[in-house]
Amino acid sequence: MAHIDLGVDERREPGIVGLLRYRPETAGPLMDLAEVLLRGPSSLSRGERELIAAYVSGRNGCDFCRASHSATAAAQLDDGPDLVDRVLADLSTAPVPEKLRALLRLADTVREDGRAVTGELVDAARAHGATDREIHDVVLIAAAFSMYNRYVDGLGAAAPDDPRAYAMSAQRILTAGYRA
């Protein structure tokens, strides 16, 4: 149960969904940002961007966002759930391209403290083929998801225990996007 009365059934509208219903005037801009970052035009695939959101959320300890974006990433990546689980368990041994590994390391640093991002981290991503646009977008995804994670956890929003809830949410996002 959230720390405040959201005026919704949190079992039916868990996590950020109930929070968005509580303040629709802030929901629009938040979901517009998620739509652009995770589904808009990019040289990074939608699955890769969802994986970055899941990784940041997992590292922040936000169970709802980790599970939600893991399910959405898994639905869009080859090797789906296994790959996502391996990245979340140990990035250093996960079977991902070095460019994505470097971008995930960059995202993790931003998540922890944006001021800790160094030229070396950025150069490492570039050395593996990351473009300036990809670096920009990964930094913004990491910053935005740190905010979303703190929003969900700071208000104590409910997180379902049933993985099917996240799978259904992923299908809805794949079909209609974040603005729906």
Side-chain angles (χ1 to χ4, degrees), residues 8 14 21 27 42 53 75 82-83 94 105 128 139 145 150 159-160 174:
V8 301
R21 295 252 191 253
S42 177
D82 181 59
L83 177 63
R105 286 186 178 128
H128 292 292
V139 168
F145 275 86
R150 285 159 180 80
L174 294 177

Side-chain angles (χ1 to χ4, degrees), residues 10-11 13-15 63-64 66-67 157-166:
E10 290 183 67
R11 290 172 304 222
E13 298 181 300
D63 293 336
F64 176 82
R66 176 198 39 80
D161 293 326
D162 187 349
R164 292 176 297 183
Y166 299 105

Side-chain angles (χ1 to χ4, degrees), residues 123-171:
D123 289 344
R126 280 192 185 119
H128 292 292
T131 66
D132 284 352
R133 169 84 182 261
E134 291 168 338
I135 291 165
H136 170 277
D137 289 356
V138 165
V139 168
L140 187 51
I141 290 167
F145 275 86
S146 291
M147 175 194 62
Y148 291 129
N149 299 156
R150 285 159 180 80
Y151 181 40
V152 168
D153 287 342
L155 285 169
D161 293 326
D162 187 349
R164 292 176 297 183
Y166 299 105
M168 289 183 346
S169 175
Q171 288 308 309

